[in-house]
Each structure stands twice: as structure tokens, then as C-alpha cells.
Amino acid sequence: MEGNRSGPESGSVIVGVDGSDRARRAALWASDEAARRRRPLHVVYGSDVDGRVLYLSADDKERVRAAGRELLEGTAEAAQNRHPALSVTTEYSRSGPVMSLRRAASTGGTLVVGDRGRGGFDSLSVGSVGLEVAAEARTPVIVVRGSENEAAHGVVLAAVRDERDLDCVRHAARAAELRKASLRLLHVRNMFQSVGSVARRVLGDDHELSLTAVAGQIRDEYPSLSVQADADEGVSVASVLVEASRHADLLVMGGRRSPDRIGRTLGHVTHSLVHHAHCPVELIPRHSGDHRNEAS
């Protein structure tokens, strides 16, 4: 690996770039987030030179390296112009993008990826590099979705399944505080799973009681924060959350624990959200510890 050999500072916001417009937008969004958190921004370019070593001449490798360096410098300059006080570091890696980002986040922090990519990220969409990063993440991952110039809604949305989402909701509460936004907690019950089953209706009631308990705990811990707790029902949990994301600036959700999960963090609902949400989606791994200080 070349570049910043010491790696990013613990707690940094880490973003991958590849020369695409979506990745540039993600990098600028990440710079805004780093400035809000008062944390450093670390920009990573994964050239995958090592993976293509048999197919690249010495001249080709130098061209890739020069292009990567130029992209990193341009991205860092844009972030610095946007936030002059922001600490920005860059890293050119010979490894592929997924390995490069995972390694950069090995000391903690938050990973940010765009919803599409090209160049060093091999023309891949969320279904590939971004999805792989999110699926096996051990630290929070934000997939930057939504319209670039959309007006702020002043709302952070947190999906709540049960009381085990408390740490995820704490993370969302901190994000809302940093944005001077309100927090909306949303529990969604699949109506097909509750029809004709007394046990499932009782289970649904228990989950709504968990929502009330989580909301009460957050109100106690964040007394200045406006907290709204809603329970909804639909034929698809994902579709209800996607629609709710139209009116949010960030959607925060914990990684699923169910048997149908896709990797460490992604289940079918979270998989749908990173593809279809109308705002950035932050996924919090279930077993990565207490994240209440991640956004500080």
C-alpha cells in the first residue's frame, strides 16, 4: 500500500473515490459529515494494481498511480475549500477498493460510499463494491443516496424493530443533534405476518411496546431533542421505510440478525434500502459495540 501509511485517525469519516460523479458527490457529503462531527476526513482510492499485476505494464501502473494521485488531490482540495478547518488525509492503495476501505476502517470510524461507481471501482454499483463493503462492515457504513440539491427536511429517521435497536437509535439521536434536526422513530409491521395469528398480533404489540420504551429512553438521554415515535403497517417493511425516507435527511438502521441476512450487516430490508431509499442510509453493525459516540 502506498500513500498515508499511518492510516486514518481513529473515528475518521472514510470515503472511497473512483473518478465518478456519484463518488465525488459522496466525498463532498462525507466532508460535510466530517465537519459536523469535527472529525478528520480520510479519502481512499483503491487502484487494484495488485489484482491486475499480470496485465499491467510498468507504464500502465505509473499511469494508474498518477491518475489516482490526481483524483485524491482534487478531492482533498474540494473538501478543504468546502470546509477550510477540516483535516483531510488521502490514501492511494494498490489493493482493490473493498479491501482498501475495510483496511482503512480497521481502527474505527465511519465508511461512506456512493451509490454507483467506476474507474478504480470497476464500473460497479451498490450491488457490488458498495454492497460488499456494507454487507461485511464492522463499522458504520453510509450509502449516499437521494438528490444532490434536495432541500433539508430537518429529520433523521431511525428504523426500530425492538429494544435491541436502542444503540442504533442512540446513534441516530446524536446524528439528529448534530444536524439540529428532529428524530423520528419508525416501527413497521408486515401486515401479512400479523393476519390471522393471535400470537403474531401479540408479538406486534410487544414490538410497539418496545418502540415506546426506546423512545422514552432516548427522550431521557436527549432531553433537548424532539422525538416522534410512530408504528406503521404495510405489505412490505422495506417499502414503508423507503417511502418514509422521502422526508428524511438520513435513515439509520441496525444490521439484521435474521437467518436471511446477506452478510454481517445486510438483510433483505436493509438490502432494499441501500438500493431504493430517497436519502443517505447509515447501517450500524449489530455486534460492533456501543455506537453512541461514533458521531462525536
Side-chain angles (χ1 to χ4, degrees):
M1 180 176 64
E2 301 179 22
N4 186 342
R5 294 183 181 274
S6 62
E9 182 178 327
S10 178
S12 294
V13 175
I14 302 158
V15 63
V17 295
D18 64 0
S20 68
D21 290 340
R22 297 294 185 90
R24 178 179 174 81
R25 181 190 164 217
L28 293 178
W29 190 97
S31 74
D32 294 343
E33 187 68 7
R36 268 191 294 266
R37 299 183 182 196
R38 298 185 180 180
R39 302 303 302 168
L41 175 69
H42 188 66
V43 186
V44 178
Y45 177 81
S47 66
D48 196 26
V49 167
D50 287 346
R52 296 180 288 167
V53 65
L54 297 179
Y55 311 101
L56 295 177
S57 66
D59 287 343
D60 288 337
K61 292 177 187 176
E62 183 54 35
R63 278 193 288 270
V64 170
R65 183 178 183 276
R69 292 288 189 188
E70 183 178 357
L71 174 60
L72 287 169
E73 290 172 6
T75 304
E77 182 179 0
Q80 206 81 69
N81 290 339
R82 198 174 177 101
H83 301 286
L86 183 64
S87 172
V88 183
T89 57
T90 62
E91 179 180 337
Y92 172 89
S93 173
R94 295 171 57 93
S95 302
V98 174
M99 181 180 295
S100 300
L101 288 169
R102 285 179 181 166
R103 184 165 50 207
S106 61
T107 58
T110 298
L111 283 169
V112 177
V113 294
D115 61 348
R116 298 202 181 273
R118 64 177 177 82
F121 286 73
D122 296 327
S123 303
L124 299 176
S125 69
V126 171
S128 48
V129 169
L131 192 62
E132 190 175 349
V133 168
E136 294 297 333
R138 297 177 181 271
T139 57
V141 175
I142 300 173
V143 179
V144 178
R145 296 194 50 80
S147 302
E148 184 172 3
N149 299 314
E150 186 173 352
H153 298 280
V155 176
V156 171
L157 176 66
V160 180
R161 184 181 183 183
D162 52 42
E163 70 282 353
R164 287 169 288 188
D165 280 311
L166 179 58
D167 285 339
C168 172
V169 176
R170 285 186 176 123
H171 190 109
R174 180 60 177 150
E177 278 195 332
L178 290 174
R179 288 167 169 76
K180 296 180 171 57
S182 62
L183 176 65
R184 184 189 181 200
L185 311 184
L186 181 58
H187 168 74
V188 184
R189 183 171 58 181
N190 188 315
M191 65 172 60
F192 287 145
Q193 292 180 342
S194 60
V195 171
S197 171
V198 173
R200 284 172 176 166
R201 283 199 294 273
V202 170
L203 180 60
D205 291 341
D206 286 345
H207 281 168
E208 290 179 25
L209 288 174
S210 295
L211 172 66
T212 301
V214 168
Q217 183 69 30
I218 294 299
R219 290 187 180 109
D220 288 343
E221 294 180 13
Y222 299 85
S224 64
L225 186 63
S226 173
V227 180
Q228 175 183 346
D230 296 320
D232 203 346
E233 190 174 65
V235 297
S236 163
V237 172
S239 64
V240 174
L241 289 171
V242 167
E243 182 60 28
S245 73
R246 291 182 183 274
H247 311 290
D249 301 320
L250 179 69
L251 192 164
V252 182
M253 188 170 190
R256 300 291 83 177
R257 302 176 304 280
S258 57
D260 61 352
R261 65 186 182 275
I262 305 168
R264 185 183 307 278
T265 302
L266 291 183
H268 287 305
V269 173
T270 45
H271 184 272
S272 296
L273 290 175
V274 299
H275 283 286
H276 302 296
H278 298 281
C279 69
V281 178
E282 182 163 15
L283 303 176
I284 311 297
R286 281 288 181 175
H287 303 296
S288 59
D290 188 341
H291 297 292
R292 74 186 79 181
N293 293 320
E294 287 284 353
S296 61

